[in-house]
Amino acid sequence: MMRPCACIDTLYTELPWEERFRAAKQDGFEAVEFWDWRSRDLDLIRASAEQAEIKISGFNGDADFSLIDPRHKQPYVAFLQQSIAAAKKVGAESVTIHSNALGSNGEVLHNYPELSETVKLCSMYDTLRACARLAEEHNINIHLEALNTTTDHVGNFLQHTQMAAEMTGLIQSPKLKILYDIYHMQLNEGSICDTLDKYYDQIGHIHVADAPGRHEPGTGEINYMNVFRKLKALQYTGRIGYELFPESNTQQAVKAIKLYWNMSNEV
C-alpha cells in the first residue's frame, strides 16, 4: 500500500503549527513532512507528533551549501550531520538534499557559472558519497531531489531524474535514493510513467502536486489516475508526500487527494 504523507508547510496552514499534526492524522495521512527544521521547536515537533500518533517522514537536510561546489564539501557534510541529529531528535526517518543551496523562498542562491559542468558533476558525486557514508553510519535515509528550473528554482543544477538516479545508482548505498517530485519533473521532462518504469529501483520517496499551479491532483494536466495505476503495478510501497498548495483551502485539497486515493485503490 502507498503511504500518504502531508507536507504541513503547504497543507493545514490555516492552523497553528502544533495542530497540523493531529489534523493530518484525522484526515488519514500516515506521516507528515516539512521543510526547514532550523526555525522550528524540535521538542514541540516530537511532542505534537507523538500526541497525534503520526510519523514524521522527514525534512530538508541542507542549507547554505551546495553539492556542486567542491569548496563546500566539508561544511555541507557537517551541516548534514546536524540535520541527521535533528531528525533523530524528532524521530524523522529521512532528510532531503539538493544540488544547490536554496533561499527561504526556494530560489537558487548561486548557480556557479564560473564552474564547469564537469566540476559540478564530480563535486556532487564526491560529496554524495560522503553523505551516503554518514547516512549508513546513522541509519537514516537521504533523498536526493531534482527541481524544476522553469518556474520555481531557476538555475538549479540537478534538473532531471536520469542524472539523479544514475548518481545514486553509481554510489549504491541502501540509504541514498532519489526523491521523485512529479510536479517538478512534469515541468522539466514529462514522461512520468516511463520514468517510473526506468528508475523505480532508485526512488525512495515521491512528491505529488499537479502542474501547472502546484495544486492538488485534478487541477492541472497530469493524469494522476494513470500515475497511481503505474505505481500500483510497480508495487511501490514508499511514501507519497503531498507537497502542494491548495487551490482554495486544505479541506478542499484533502477531498481531492482522498478521491484519488480511493480511485487508485479500486484499479
Side-chain angles (χ1 to χ4, degrees):
M1 289 290 293
M2 290 178 280
R3 298 175 290 155
C5 174
C7 176
I8 54 174
D9 270 324
T10 61
L11 293 169
Y12 303 104
T13 57
E14 305 92 339
L15 299 174
W17 174 257
E18 62 273 16
E19 294 179 20
R20 299 177 194 181
F21 298 83
R22 186 172 301 279
K25 176 68 174 183
Q26 290 172 342
D27 279 337
F29 289 98
E30 188 259 352
V32 297
E33 60 182 291
F34 52 94
W35 290 336
D36 193 343
W37 62 268
R38 295 172 297 174
S39 60
R40 302 295 185 185
D41 182 332
L42 299 183
D43 292 324
L44 178 62
I45 288 171
R46 182 168 192 126
S48 299
E50 288 178 348
Q51 289 167 11
E53 297 183 337
I54 194 168
K55 295 178 181 178
I56 298 175
S57 180
F59 46 73
N60 290 341
D62 45 16
D64 303 324
F65 309 107
S66 299
L67 286 171
I68 58 174
D69 185 342
R71 297 164 296 185
H72 282 190
K73 179 179 179 179
Q74 284 188 315
Y76 192 101
V77 174
F79 184 80
L80 178 61
Q81 192 155 18
Q82 294 179 46
S83 296
I84 290 173
K88 293 287 188 180
K89 185 168 185 176
V90 302
E93 300 173 17
S94 69
V95 294
T96 301
I97 60 176
H98 309 88
S99 62
N100 296 62
L102 303 175
S104 58
N105 295 317
E107 73 276 13
V108 172
L109 297 181
H110 195 352
N111 64 353
Y112 302 98
E114 73 278 12
L115 298 180
S116 71
E117 299 293 290
T118 302
V119 169
K120 292 175 183 177
L121 195 63
C122 290
S123 175
M124 185 163 67
Y125 176 78
D126 183 48
T127 304
L128 276 175
R129 288 182 64 197
C131 292
R133 288 193 295 269
L134 195 62
E136 291 170 9
E137 177 184 343
H138 292 280
N139 192 31
I140 196 160
N141 296 312
I142 292 178
H143 297 138
L144 175 66
E145 183 179 22
L147 303 173
N148 84 73
T149 55
T150 65
T151 307
D152 303 294
H153 309 286
V154 175
N156 196 66
F157 178 70
L158 185 58
Q159 303 176 30
H160 298 293
T161 308
Q162 180 179 358
M163 180 183 286
E166 288 180 349
M167 190 74 64
T168 58
L170 284 170
I171 293 172
Q172 292 189 324
S173 169
K175 293 299 181 183
L176 177 65
K177 298 293 182 181
I178 69 169
L179 191 164
Y180 181 68
D181 188 303
I182 296 172
Y183 161 77
H184 287 310
M185 294 303 98
Q186 172 68 4
L187 294 180
N188 277 3
E189 63 191 21
S191 300
I192 294 167
C193 291
D194 285 345
T195 300
L196 289 171
D197 265 331
K198 191 169 185 179
Y199 300 112
Y200 168 75
D201 65 320
Q202 292 302 315
I203 296 174
H205 192 72
I206 290 173
H207 274 170
V208 161
D210 217 331
R214 206 172 186 177
H215 304 309
E216 57 268 26
T219 58
E221 65 190 10
I222 300 175
N223 187 334
Y224 267 106
M225 273 307 303
N226 282 349
V227 172
F228 287 138
R229 186 178 290 115
K230 172 59 67 176
L231 289 171
K232 190 170 184 179
L234 291 169
Q235 299 183 335
Y236 178 73
T237 57
R239 288 203 174 99
I240 305 258
Y242 289 85
E243 186 193 48
L244 55 87
F245 296 92
E247 188 172 45
S248 58
N249 56 57
T250 299
Q251 184 180 22
Q252 293 302 313
V254 170
K255 283 184 180 179
I257 289 168
K258 286 185 174 181
L259 176 64
Y260 278 86
W261 287 352
N262 296 334
M263 291 171 64
S264 63
N265 285 333
E266 292 172 0
V267 297

